[in-house]
Amino acid sequence: MIEAPYLARASYDRAAHRRSDDQWLATAWSRARVLLVSPDATTPVVSGNGALRLDLRDHREVAGDAARRLLGVVEGVPYFAATVPGENDWATLRQVGAATDDVHAALVATAIALELWHGRHTNCPRCGTPTTETQAGWTRLCPVDASQHFPRTDPAVIMLVHDGADRCLLGRGVDWGLGRYSTLAGFVEPGESLEAAVAREVLEEVAIVVDDVRYVASQPWPFPSSIMLGFTAHADGAAAVRPDQAEVIEAGWFTRDEVRQAAEWVDRDGMPDPSAVLRGISPKLSISRYLIDGWLGGVLP
């Protein structure tokens, strides 16, 4: 692949060694660029020239009681996230992640991941006492038992299953509209390797046995706290596909031409052929689409 998936195309200095340095944090805040994020994971953006960019603020525009978290340093400039009430025209990560530049996409993904973690982990899992933010927003501390709690990241595998020729295996989720398909995916279980998770999830969801499991790339996916680990895998295209009806309601093998047509409908916001079984696939932001595009382009098997 030429580029990494969206949300994973840029890294920046997270300045982790500064998170406990109160003096440095105070000085950094005085010259910071601030990314506002709401409790429901939206952020302000501005548009122009057919693109979006984050509407970053000066620290003086942020209320003093807003929770603020150090995101890191980019080209010598400190970046913080601040929690504030959202507004109706603010954008979600799904809307802005593929439309802004790579560094801003990485920053907003981090800010939203932190915001959602803090919102879901307000109390100590040991004793139930309300916890407080420490380490510039990167930990929570219990005032009773002094236990520290760190942001949660849940590993999930996502796989492009192919027959070694001209077809790939896609499934339709139980809550999705007719004609919308995607690659299969699932969470890694405790004590399980990533490759074993790929094989187990495909077998559970569509009753297909895979081999030749190969890692491709990863992508942060804060919905609310996943890291998506992308793979390809091979399967016998003649084997019967049996969706489990619990997570996958329909599944089947699709040719490159069918998948390419569905991609065009999605990208151009066009009207799909109502007679087509496959009418839509994942948008560009998703690593699912990254895997599909790699397979369509012949970069992946």
Side-chain angles (χ1 to χ4, degrees):
M1 307 295 282
I2 297 175
E3 289 186 291
Y6 284 106
L7 308 184
R9 293 183 174 178
S11 60
Y12 59 90
D13 179 7
R14 291 176 174 243
H17 63 296
R18 297 293 194 181
R19 293 171 186 169
S20 59
D21 187 338
D22 291 340
Q23 182 175 349
W24 184 90
L25 289 169
T27 301
W29 177 252
S30 70
R31 60 189 185 90
R33 301 298 292 157
V34 184
L35 191 161
L36 304 182
V37 60
S38 72
D40 60 353
T42 60
T43 189
V45 295
V46 292
S47 60
N49 298 321
L52 294 177
R53 61 181 177 83
L54 301 181
D55 186 10
L56 297 167
R57 306 296 176 87
D58 184 272
H59 73 283
R60 288 167 291 192
E61 300 178 66
V62 181
D65 59 349
R68 62 190 192 221
R69 297 148 193 158
L70 175 66
L71 298 177
V73 177
V74 179
E75 297 181 348
V77 178
Y79 282 75
F80 284 75
T83 303
V84 297
E87 298 182 11
N88 291 334
D89 59 346
W90 285 17
T92 66
L93 179 58
R94 292 182 188 274
Q95 294 168 317
V96 73
T100 190
D101 70 75
D102 294 342
V103 172
H104 281 187
L107 288 167
V108 73
T110 301
I112 286 174
L114 282 174
E115 178 62 36
L116 294 177
W117 175 69
H118 282 291
R120 287 166 168 77
H121 298 81
T122 56
N123 292 66
C124 177
R126 294 182 176 181
C127 66
T129 302
T131 54
T132 57
E133 292 190 31
T134 55
Q135 293 285 314
W138 285 88
T139 63
R140 297 191 71 91
L141 180 67
C142 176
V144 173
D145 62 20
S147 59
Q148 279 188 307
H149 307 281
F150 299 88
R152 173 174 175 168
T153 300
D154 301 316
V157 291
I158 184 165
M159 37 280 179
L160 187 288
V161 179
H162 62 89
D163 66 355
D166 190 49
R167 298 185 302 163
C168 72
L169 178 62
L170 302 177
R172 182 168 76 87
V174 292
D175 297 323
W176 299 355
L178 287 174
R180 178 191 168 193
Y181 286 75
S182 183
T183 51
L184 304 178
F187 288 104
V188 181
E189 294 186 344
E192 186 176 44
S193 72
L194 302 179
E195 293 81 2
V198 169
R200 174 184 55 78
E201 285 288 345
V202 177
L203 186 62
E204 288 178 355
E205 293 186 351
V206 294
I208 292 291
V209 176
V210 300
D211 57 29
D212 194 23
V213 177
R214 302 184 188 185
Y215 173 75
V216 178
S218 66
Q219 179 192 52
W221 198 243
F223 299 106
S225 57
S226 296
I227 175 74
M228 304 300 296
L229 306 156
F231 289 82
T232 60
H234 171 266
D236 181 358
V241 179
R242 296 192 298 273
D244 65 2
Q245 302 299 312
E247 296 184 61
V248 178
I249 193 69
E250 291 182 304
W253 293 97
F254 298 96
T255 67
R256 278 186 168 86
D257 286 344
E258 289 175 305
V259 176
R260 189 174 290 109
Q261 178 62 78
E264 291 178 2
W265 283 328
V266 169
D267 294 346
R268 298 178 182 177
D269 199 22
M271 293 296 293
D273 182 347
S275 67
V277 175
L278 178 61
R279 306 173 199 171
I281 58 174
S282 303
K284 290 285 189 180
L285 180 66
S286 159
I287 193 173
S288 171
R289 181 60 180 277
Y290 179 82
L291 296 171
I292 289 172
D293 284 349
W295 176 73
L296 286 175
V299 180
L300 300 179

